[in-house]
Amino acid sequence: MTPLPYPALHASHAGIWIAAPDGEARAVGRGEAIARAADTPMILLNAPLVAARLGYPELSGLDLLELFAFVHPARFSVPTAKGLARAIGLGPPADDASAATFLLRAAERLLARMEAPDWHEREGAWTSAQSLGRLRWPWAAAVSRVVARPERQERWLFARLPEWEEKPPRAPPRTIHVPPAAAADRLDELTGHGAEERPGQRAYAEAAAAAFGPRASNDSPALLLAEAGTGIGKTLGYLAPASLWAQEADGAVWVSTFTKALQRQLDREGEKLFPDPRTRRDKMVVRKGRENYLCLLNLEDALQGGFGGRAAILAQLVARWAAYSRDGDMVGGDLPGWLPTLFRRNGSTALTDRRGECVFAGCPHYRKCFIERASRASADAEIVVANHALVMVNAARGREAANRPTRLIFDEGHHLFEAADSMFSTALTGQETIELRRWVTGPEGNARGRRRGLAARLSDVASYDEEGGRAIAAASNAAQALPSDGWLQRLGEGQPFGAIEALLAAVRGTVYARAAAEDAGYGLETELVDPDGALVEAAGNAAAALEALHRPLVQLGRRLEAVLTDAPDWLDGQARARIEGAVMSLGWRIDTLAGWIALLGRVGGPADSDFVDWLAVDRAEGREYDVGLHRHWLDPTRPLAELVLKPAHGVIVTSATLSNGDWTAAEARAGACHLSRPPLRFEAPSPFDYAGQAEVLIVTDVKKGDIPQLAGAYASLIAAAGGGALGLFTAIRRLRAVHARIADRLARDGLPLFAQHVDPIDTGTLVDIFRDDPHASLLGTDALRDGVDVPGHSLRLVVMEGVPWSKPTVLHAARKLAQGGSAYEERMVRARLAQAFGRLIRRADDRGAFVLLSSACPSRLLTAFPAGTPIRRVTLAEAVEQVRSRLSSAPVSGHSGREDVLTGGI
């Protein structure tokens, strides 16, 4: 094919290179690169990242990642030159200097692929290319030259998607008992004969069988708390009895995770349970909240003019993906995590149902809906892989009551308390109230998009049922008292409009009057104690406004129930399903309003010992983005036990760091103390030789708060390890400061450095890049402390900037006071240290060092690390030398694609 007439630009912390169309590359300065990029279309790889490297946010060009997403939708690639080379079958560039030339070859390979007769993603490409051409997509001209016009008109996307089928309700699972020996035999089948003998894994499977017997009494599940150290193989350990029970009882076991990485790992393990892909598709289903899935109605609106500019291009690429996606999961599924980040004004969230506006059977794409398909597939599955939030939402809101799971496994169980805390909390804030207003009233002013208010979504009910119509009108009128666009600006100017904005203004004033000055620039909060008269009066007026909205919504809910009971002639199957969906969505809002009204009743009244209430102004880098009142359960495992645990027959809560030596605390954080039947306990230590494979170094001479010294420590340690370092921070500000000081220096030595909150890349993709390059290092915050499984040749060093003490929030202070004072705080810190250390040794041949840059680490916290792990207090120079000597001979060759995250810990 004719060579492309475009030059290529590659920029990293090590330098900037431009390759001419003939392939000749040369190094250039930042000024020349920006000038060339402003005048000439250039081939790039990850334009937002290159723009950040150049310091030129307006950079645009022909992004190879966009071309890859067009050519190979729903296919994974690490978004680096090396990762792209592997995905398209090219040799990777040897270094940064040759990367620009590689980009030219990669573009030619991708374009040539579309001319190949065995290109599997051909259908729909020509039509999509024409639409992208009208949108002036930079690649459109080149793509149109190589994509031949089909002989027949291509099917519309929505005609190509398969329909789900309605099935009769599933019968309740049969009552059976899974003997421990049977669980062990199933484990042998899954691991294969001749596999490595793992006594701990076998004992785990036998213990897990206890959750799969008949329930002894109502509200009294068989609860197993199981701590299985890294390397035990707990995933197959619990899947062995779970799969046996599901098969013989004809029931579903829900396996719940906290992170998407573990969901992917479990999905991969389905290959062992169900080797045949078709069987696996029916028997094992991944479920997430509906806000994770592509909404086909929103996509249709975007494709037909609802989106403009770059967002419209994103919609076309998402449509390409939707035709080939396995399940339509846009968050952690087979949509590349990097694709939405290529579009500065990320439009992907508008393609999902994040506001609860689904019209269910009223949607023309209802029978093809990814969300409905996943829901129905899980009703007939044997293993449902979900997450903690979805399990709790379904329980709290009564969703899928007909298929309520009786057997639950909470993997990453040390996060169960955290997930319950989030789920069962109440937040009366500006952001939450404006979303409720939009849900009730629909679009206002010049708002674009498909959003519709209650009146539009339930117009047929209003025309049929006079009382229901009056309730809709009253709700729409009452919703005018909720905040509207521009509410934050009005608060800042001291001109709130309406009772709710007046409340938020009073909250804001109280917070600024009482919050500590040292918090300037970040979120502020203060206890809801002894409010002044202005706040009490504002709360009363706001409560009255919310009650005025609550009443008609309750009345509307009753009328919808009556319509379903006394079905009119027009209420066919689709209309019934739509109204049933509206009842469910309405119930959610009614409960939310009731929680807000109860919280406002607390202002000026007596405190409720079951809850912690506070006022907050949420800020990021000094910019306010929300204001409101918050309420959390002091012990969120109480609603967890009532709504989730007690209705179940058998529950397993498991983790590698579940107890950290304190089983009483583990039982309390899992909700076991609220059950009448005491839990069973199981513990299996990790089989690794920590004394020989790892060490903990506590550096004593890095001054706290000294950014230059902290940056120097990170740079020296990363260089000594040859990369492969995970740096963990407790403050984003310090992370950014350290990254800015050391990234260029390390890159010039061939050690790439990536960072959360710096690089314009989502966290999952950052981990993919880190995993793929054994010389790369990654800086991050709490999100990287847990749930990240990176093989030893890519992660050899973990560095923490200091002891991970809890942020002194109102909520933390209340729980600390109620649960043992300093002992509670130290349990939290030990858990964080254990989770961070757990990233280091994942396999029997891993070696690594854990470095804590804190001279003030109390010795009593060091029990967080596995028994036998050498722990030494050293100077920075000694730590650098020890890291160099320990890791200098560690293997760093080879690559690790996404498969590595799917096999760890098994």
Side-chain angles (χ1 to χ4, degrees), residues 324-578:
Y324 296 94
S325 172
R326 184 183 72 167
D327 56 9
D329 179 5
M330 296 188 69
V331 185
D334 52 14
L335 180 75
W338 42 258
L339 181 59
T341 66
L342 301 180
F343 298 82
R344 292 182 180 87
R345 293 185 176 180
N346 190 337
S348 63
T349 56
L351 296 175
T352 61
D353 178 27
R354 292 182 176 270
R355 301 184 181 94
E357 296 177 332
C358 180
V359 295
F360 297 91
C363 174
H365 310 302
Y366 181 65
R367 295 299 300 271
K368 299 170 184 281
C369 175
F370 289 115
I371 305 166
E372 296 297 328
R373 186 187 308 165
S375 175
R376 282 159 176 76
S378 66
D380 293 318
E382 293 184 359
I383 304 294
V384 179
V385 180
N387 55 59
H388 298 351
L390 178 63
V391 171
M392 294 179 195
V393 165
N394 283 351
R397 296 177 184 163
R399 293 182 178 176
E400 303 178 28
N403 296 301
R404 178 187 287 272
T406 62
R407 299 302 190 283
L408 296 168
I409 300 173
F410 290 102
D411 204 337
E412 297 178 308
H414 57 281
H415 283 299
L416 197 55
F417 185 96
E418 179 184 348
D421 188 32
S422 176
M423 171 61 212
F424 300 113
S425 63
T426 299
L428 172 51
T429 73
Q431 296 283 7
E432 294 292 326
T433 52
I434 198 172
E435 280 301 318
L436 179 59
R437 177 190 177 115
R438 291 167 177 167
W439 182 84
V440 174
T441 64
E444 297 179 288
N446 297 321
R448 297 179 64 187
R450 184 187 69 75
R451 184 183 300 134
R452 300 290 182 267
L454 270 180
R457 295 198 299 271
L458 296 174
S459 58
D460 47 3
V461 174
S463 62
Y464 166 77
D465 185 87
E466 183 178 353
E467 192 173 347
R470 286 198 299 269
I472 293 172
S476 299
N477 183 61
Q480 301 300 317
L482 298 174
S484 58
D485 291 340
W487 67 274
L488 261 176
Q489 182 178 347
R490 290 192 292 275
L491 259 60
E493 295 170 348
Q495 297 180 338
F497 179 80
I500 309 301
E501 288 188 18
L503 168 70
L504 298 177
V507 167
R508 182 175 181 271
T510 302
V511 171
Y512 274 104
R514 299 183 180 184
E518 59 265 27
D519 288 338
Y522 297 92
L524 304 174
E525 62 180 39
T526 187
E527 294 177 88
L528 180 49
V529 174
D530 194 21
D532 61 20
L535 180 57
V536 173
E537 181 181 1
N541 293 335
L546 293 178
E547 287 169 351
L549 176 58
H550 184 262
R551 284 192 297 271
L553 291 183
V554 171
Q555 180 63 20
L556 176 59
R558 291 174 180 158
R559 296 313 306 163
L560 293 179
E561 295 282 3
V563 169
L564 292 173
T565 301
D566 303 321
D569 294 339
W570 54 266
L571 192 70
D572 58 12
Q574 285 196 354
R576 173 175 290 276
R578 180 170 53 81

